[in-house]
Amino acid sequence: MRQLPNRGRPTSPRLPRAFRVFWFGETVSLFGTATTATLLSLLAATQLDAGPGWMGFLAAASWSPWLILGLPAGALVDRWPPRTTMIVSDLIAATAAAAVPVLWLTDMLSLPALVTVAFVIGSCAVVFRAALPRLVTRVVDPEQLGTANSMLYATESASTVVGPGLAGLIAQAVSAAVGMLLDAVSYLVSAACLARTRLAARTPDHAVAVPEESLPRRIRAGVNVVAHDRYLRYFAGLAAVQNFGLTGLLSLQVLFLVDELAAPQAVTGLVLATGGVGGVIGGLLGPHVARRLGTARGPIALQLTSCGCLLVLLAGPGAGVAWMAAGLLLCEFAIVADNVIRTTWRLTYVPDHLQARVSTTIQMLAFAAMPASGLVSGWLGQQLGVRTALAIMLGVYVAGALTMPFGPFRGLRDLPAPPRPERLLEEAAAAAR
């Protein structure tokens, strides 16, 4: 199997200062963003008397931009300088977050305004995440991508553990509306760090010159690259199937803990936090798994490990909740470690001019499964009971995981090296005609 060329560039195990500056800003932003959903929900429920319908609208406003804007955003961002794109996204998100306390202080805050803010911040996240892969390839060497992605995923997982609790403390201390100012500041810190991030005076090894194309043609090219490449197609389909199953778990886990297991609120919080802890561990260990087992065998082993989510079904009242904690820990550890390996591979496999389009296409498929899963898991819970519904949704996830040993990379130790950059470009252009 071909190895990725180094082209004589010396590499250091220490990540360059440019990445460390960016990572600091991203860390602050992630912890700020992790508080946003909770702060907006608290604000809607406590200050504006929102019912279940409005709470649903508020939640949908955060992820719906992936469905609405994902494909065009990917096509556009592939043409824009990644650092500038991310800075503008941060500044718009900061403005939207800062609008909440201003509207609250002037007695103009309303539920439609909160939904609008959530949609704007969610839209900025789509654009920011679309540009992120191309920025990372410009601040670290190819041999350091695994370590860089490990730090990013571990930080994201840590923010999901700390964020909701931090939001509660902020809301209690200064009110949820004023707490949104901290989120606005976190976006400004991210923008400032990006402005100070010095990009390497080079382009990635697999970057090629591409002709000017219309937006619809660029969108079709990105979709067709995923559809026609057997590795990308498999991973995109797997993400959709498994996200469907996992969203069912996320939708029902609190109800399962409270109603079925009679867990106190403190225990509920601790059990749910174990998933985030597993994610932090997975983010840190992902590169080690890849080096020891290979970038193909490692994800297979991790996917099989993630089937430990079935331990959730063994949970019972009292000490039996430990089974659920163990299942969440194993599952999140394996998922995040797998994501580190696959994201690192995709950054070297997909040509630079298609990075955002491929990323947003895969993410859009994964996010599209969420609303359907929420409806299905809720209906199953009503008709068959929460434990049975969880068993079905986790069964969907495990069914996807069990296809890994039979995937297109079976028998390989490592995922394939990138094809000629021109090949994917030619195939995408031909498919878009």
Side-chain angles (χ1 to χ4, degrees):
M1 179 174 295
R2 289 189 295 123
Q3 300 295 316
L4 297 180
N6 185 33
R7 296 194 177 181
R9 286 195 304 269
T11 59
S12 167
R14 181 179 173 85
L15 289 168
R17 183 179 182 276
F19 177 81
R20 287 182 277 122
V21 170
F22 158 69
W23 174 74
F24 174 79
E26 176 70 352
T27 298
V28 174
S29 178
L30 282 171
F31 276 84
T33 301
T35 67
T36 299
T38 303
L39 287 173
L40 289 177
S41 297
L42 287 171
L43 192 55
T46 61
Q47 300 292 321
L48 302 174
D49 298 321
W54 276 109
M55 296 300 284
F57 278 124
L58 191 60
S62 298
W63 53 258
S64 59
W66 286 100
L67 305 180
I68 300 171
L69 304 175
L71 292 180
L76 291 170
V77 170
D78 268 332
R79 291 286 185 176
W80 296 342
R83 182 175 60 176
T84 303
T85 301
M86 296 164 75
I87 290 174
V88 172
S89 298
D90 274 336
L91 295 178
I92 294 174
T95 303
V100 173
V102 172
L103 292 172
W104 180 69
L105 291 171
T106 57
D107 291 325
M108 297 176 62
L109 189 62
S110 64
L111 288 168
L114 282 187
V115 170
T116 302
V117 168
F119 183 82
V120 172
I121 292 177
S123 300
C124 291
V126 171
V127 175
F128 188 97
R129 295 296 162 194
L132 178 62
R134 296 180 65 225
L135 180 104
V136 173
T137 60
R138 284 161 171 75
V139 295
V140 300
D141 289 313
E143 295 81 1
Q144 297 173 316
L145 285 174
T147 304
N149 281 316
S150 173
M151 292 179 65
L152 291 171
Y153 273 101
T155 303
E156 185 174 7
S157 295
S159 71
T160 64
V161 177
V162 178
L166 182 61
L169 294 175
I170 292 171
Q172 186 172 354
V174 297
S175 84
V178 177
M180 288 295 293
L181 275 178
L182 295 177
D183 192 29
V185 171
S186 74
Y187 287 118
L188 294 178
V189 171
S190 174
C193 289
L194 280 165
R196 293 180 60 84
T197 299
R198 298 175 63 87
L199 303 187
R202 61 178 174 82
T203 55
D205 292 335
H206 54 329
V208 296
V210 294
E212 287 292 332
E213 296 174 315
S214 66
L215 179 61
R217 187 179 292 273
R218 293 204 298 273
I219 292 174
R220 288 197 302 273
V223 171
N224 279 301
V225 165
V226 175
H228 287 83
D229 184 275
R230 60 175 179 161
Y231 303 104
L232 296 173
R233 181 176 65 241
Y234 172 77
F235 284 138
L238 181 65
V241 170
Q242 293 193 311
N243 214 41
F244 183 89
L246 283 178
T247 301
L249 171 62
L250 295 175
S251 300
L252 298 172
Q253 62 184 2
V254 172
L255 194 61
F256 182 60
L257 278 162
V258 174
D259 289 356
E260 297 275 331
L261 307 183
Q265 291 186 17
V267 173
T268 297
L270 287 173
V271 169
L272 297 181
T274 57
V277 173
V280 174
I281 298 171
L284 295 174
L285 295 183
H288 300 283
V289 174
R291 285 193 292 269
R292 186 169 185 83
L293 299 180
T295 57
R297 292 178 185 170
I300 291 174
L302 289 167
Q303 283 286 330
L304 296 179
T305 301
S306 73
C307 294
C309 63
L310 294 175
L311 293 175
V312 169
L313 302 176
L314 300 178
V321 298
W323 286 110
M324 183 167 186
L328 295 177
L329 181 74
L330 276 175
C331 185
E332 193 71 14
F333 156 75
I335 289 172
V336 174
D338 183 24
N339 283 338
V340 169
I341 297 172
R342 280 196 266 162
T343 300
T344 301
W345 166 76
R346 198 171 68 229
L347 288 176
T348 62
Y349 184 78
V350 176
D352 182 70
H353 66 281
L354 290 166
Q355 282 286 352
R357 280 174 280 182
V358 168
S359 175
T360 52
T361 298
I362 294 174
Q363 288 173 321
M364 191 197 71
L365 288 171
F367 277 93
M370 293 177 68
S373 175
L375 292 174
V376 170
S377 61
W379 181 82
L380 288 172
Q382 287 183 331
Q383 299 297 316
L384 305 175
V386 175
R387 190 183 293 268
T388 302
L390 274 176
I392 294 172
M393 301 308 287
L394 290 176
V396 172
Y397 174 84
V398 169
L402 293 179
T403 67
M404 282 288 280
F406 311 100
F409 42 85
R410 62 184 178 275
L412 299 179
R413 184 187 186 277
D414 293 298
L415 291 169
R420 284 188 309 111
E422 295 82 0
R423 184 178 70 78
L424 276 180
L425 176 62
E426 291 164 359
E427 290 180 357
R433 293 192 186 102

